[in-house]
Amino acid sequence: MTSPITTSRQGDVLIITSDNPPVNALGAAVRQGLQAGIEEAAGDDIKAVVITCAGKTFFAGADITEFGKPMQEPSLPVLIDAIEALDKPVVAAVHGTALGGGCEVALGCHYRIAVPSAKFGLPEVKLGLLPGAGGTQRLPRVAGVELALEMAAKGDPIPASKAKDAGLVDRLAGEDSLVADAVAFAREMAAAGGPLPRASEKQASASPALFETFRKTNAKRFRGYEAPADIIALIEKTTGMPYEEGVQLERQGFMKLIMGTQSAALRHIFFAERKAAKIDGIADDIKLRDVKRVGVIGAGTMGGGISMNFLSAGIPVTIVEMAQDALDRGTGVMRKNYEATAAKGRMTAEQVEGAMGLLKPTLNFDDLAECDLIIEAVYESMDVKKEVFGRLDKIAKPGAILASNTSYLNVDEIAASTSRPQDVVGLHFFSPANVMKLLEIVRGAKTADDVLATAMALAKKIRKVAVVAGVCYGFIGNRMLMPRQVEAMKLLMEGATPEQIDRVHVAFGMPMGPFQMSDLAGVDIGWHRDPTRIENIRDALAAEDRWGQKKGKGWYDYDEKRNPSPSPRVAEIIEEFRAKSGATQHEVTDEEIVERTLYTMVNEGALILAEGMAQRASDIDVVWIYGYGWPVYRGGPMFWADTEGLKKIVAGLEKHGFEVAPLLREKAETGERFNK
Ligand code: T1G
């Protein structure tokens, strides 16, 4: 097999080029080729070296697919030390994203030149790791401890301009003349002579207070994650320490994390998110439908949020409402949302105007005839949906994709209200639609392959993480939410409190528990709005205006800063319903709450898989991480079930009398995992 590394000469400068698509990951062949290149560079006729990459980016890190397999020599740390030890200038010529091991290779070089659009980062923490090839030791020495801490513990990349200001980049190159500029720079450094700037020979220092302040500032963000805490402790401990000692501690820290469950979970999600984009049975090169303009029906919270996704991606939107005031209110909310983003510095005023300029509000339903994709976000009623799709069928252009944003309803039934079921698909956005990353693409029985593929491609364009779901009540996410909600309400009847159930879920790593979530979303969502009709606790709360945070009271009472406290009135209402329900009261343990609310979700996930409503177990994990905030370091419900042990899950379900899904039982018995 030909090496991904080639060398060439420009006079007395050796250029080492990696061509290892798609991201020049530092797999064994690349490392071996680089090592050979460094050995060639030792020749007397070479005065300087440039290391660069072909394709879309400089090395984007170690090859994550190699983790867990026997490591082939040379290891990345050894290779980078060899680069740094060379007795002639080595220049890293960076474009794209120098990430993880890629950034560490650049740090091992004596100099770094980058195009302005390049980025540098240490995202290992997002894989539950810490930089394992000298990054935690060289970056503080080159760019300062504070920036190194920020980059390594948060994992977000910085632009070349900021890297230059920090001393991580020595020169900026022209976007189209990187290699030429790098060769000239290398030659200049060779001619200048003098000691080579080796990162490991520099000193790093920081005030001890820096680390405590950083910990406190980021406590919420890092809650439950091991890697950020380890990275902060490692840099704190090794700042001021000789490089050789510090890098030993780095190695130990890396080995501890890579063997841990959190890193396995985070790496699982890294690949699961990308696997979800692949639709079984549809060729990658299928011809997509051209979507130049999107139509959205309904300018409410969902319609407005959905529209913003496309506007932000530069796709024009025609938004339809039935009344001018609703239309004005909806477009006003969209502008306000953009302006709030601009106020945080994440958009410019021009970008706001640019996005809003692509919006065409109208009261004329027939204006949708110009759209290539039309998404309805109207009231969640099958009759209303059928009426809307019946009208769309008459006015939409041939080949237009007709999508429903329904959260639960049967997409096949909606499709049957048109003469073109092959063009109908579900696009289930999660509220707030302009913020939540998850999009469930609901595949109807007759949905055409190119419609699905077009929806998936659009999802990537609007920066959503999309998962294909089959037609069943609640699709994947909401269907698994149901057993959790049912059991949570039953546990209230049997003696648990909303606070206890929420506490268990938050301790597990969820951003909030079921009752906190209800108060945030609105206790009145889906309520029949008849205060005289009280059939359950939720009706009772809604009848007393306890609609959640927006009313200052719901399952909890809220102060003016929306800080929650247990509500004596809610306790009374629960007591009344406990008496009426006749449920046997008992001491509900935290373990029972996990078994009855989380194990039942896994059980439902097994049914979803067996019915083919999800393509793969990892898709279910992606749904729950991006749609409901499942803690990423637990890898999603199905990955977590594998780590809990399926036998333990089955025993827990049986203990409470649940019917165990056949696929779950089968895997528990055979020892097979949901995620191989
Ligand atoms: N290893 C293996 N495969 C990778 C990869 C990697 N590092 N990065 C991407 N891929 C695959 C990905 O799975 C997908 O495959 C394809 O490349 C395109 O990726 C020692 C230990 C670089 C910003 O964490 O952030 O270095 O689905 O769809 O949107 O200290 O990929 O096509 O089959 O994401 O243009 C640290 C991870 C590793 C960077 C490009 N590095 N990658 O985004 O393409 S650990 C990272 C990314 C490490 C050292 C430690 C992004 C990207 P497929 P993509 P993209």
Side-chain angles (χ1 to χ4, degrees), residues 492 496-505 515-516 555-556 565-567 570-571 574:
L492 285 190
T497 63
E499 304 82 71
Q500 181 190 8
I501 295 169
D502 284 346
R503 176 180 50 74
V504 168
H505 281 233
F515 300 101
Q516 292 161 322
W555 289 98
Y556 295 87
S565 56
S567 162
V570 170
I574 291 172

Side-chain angles (χ1 to χ4, degrees), residues 317-338:
V317 171
T318 299
I319 188 164
V320 172
E321 254 297 350
M322 291 189 289
Q324 191 62 48
D325 60 344
L327 191 59
D328 294 344
R329 189 168 50 251
T331 52
V333 167
M334 292 160 76
R335 174 172 288 280
K336 195 161 64 66
N337 287 341
Y338 276 130

Side-chain angles (χ1 to χ4, degrees), residues 210-229:
L210 169 72
F211 301 97
E212 216 30 56
T213 308
F214 186 76
R215 278 191 187 90
K216 283 205 179 73
T217 311
N218 295 287
K220 193 162 179 290
R221 174 184 178 135
F222 295 149
R223 179 172 74 92
Y225 286 88
E226 292 166 359

Side-chain angles (χ1 to χ4, degrees), residues 245-465:
E245 285 178 41
V247 82
Q248 287 309 317
L249 292 177
E250 175 190 90
R251 192 91 215 119
Q252 289 166 21
F254 178 81
M255 291 314 290
K256 172 208 156 199
L257 288 172
I258 200 165
M259 309 291 280
T261 307
Q262 285 204 0
S263 181
L266 287 157
R267 297 197 312 268
H268 162 69
I269 289 302
F270 176 85
F271 290 114
E273 178 186 329
R274 288 156 177 82
K275 213 184 297 178
K278 295 176 173 47
I279 307 172
D280 294 346
I282 296 185
D284 285 346
D285 60 354
I286 187 171
K287 186 172 178 342
L288 304 180
R289 296 196 187 182
D290 196 11
V291 177
K292 290 194 174 62
R293 173 172 285 273
V294 173
V296 174
I297 307 172
T301 308
M302 288 309 285
I306 292 170
S307 300
M308 290 178 71
N309 291 311
F310 294 97
L311 296 171
S312 303
I315 301 173
V317 171
T318 299
I319 188 164
V320 172
E321 254 297 350
M322 291 189 289
Q324 191 62 48
D325 60 344
L327 191 59
D328 294 344
R329 189 168 50 251
T331 52
V333 167
M334 292 160 76
R335 174 172 288 280
K336 195 161 64 66
N337 287 341
Y338 276 130
E339 285 168 353
T341 304
K344 291 177 199 150
R346 293 211 299 265
M347 268 180 102
T348 63
E350 294 72 28
Q351 286 169 324
V352 171
E353 292 317 316
M356 292 304 290
L358 292 172
L359 180 66
K360 178 181 172 185
T362 176
L363 298 176
N364 180 5
F365 193 88
D366 291 357
D367 285 352
L368 293 169
E370 64 191 2
C371 299
D372 309 296
L373 161 66
I374 302 164
I375 305 169
E376 62 77 13
V378 298
Y379 185 62
E380 189 75 347
S381 137
M382 183 55 88
D383 291 345
V384 173
K385 307 264 187 206
K386 282 183 172 178
E387 193 268 331
V388 165
F389 274 77
R391 289 181 67 191
L392 281 179
D393 195 24
K394 293 186 178 59
I395 61 109
K397 69 165 79 167
I401 296 172
L402 310 180
S404 171
N405 173 54
T406 181
S407 305
Y408 287 89
L409 301 177
N410 186 315
V411 172
D412 290 334
E413 203 176 322
I414 293 171
S417 61
T418 75
S419 62
R420 44 175 129 180
Q422 71 283 1
D423 298 338
V424 177
V425 70
L427 290 182
H428 178 214
F429 290 84
F430 283 69
S431 184
N434 53 308
V435 173
M436 293 302 285
K437 295 280 281 181
L438 180 66
L439 173 63
E440 281 181 326
I441 298 176
V442 186
R443 178 178 207 168
K446 294 181 178 161
T447 301
D449 286 355
D450 65 335
V451 166
L452 270 181
T454 303
M456 187 57 81
L458 265 179
K460 181 159 181 136
K461 194 166 184 183
I462 63 173
R463 303 166 65 79
K464 293 296 180 191
V465 176

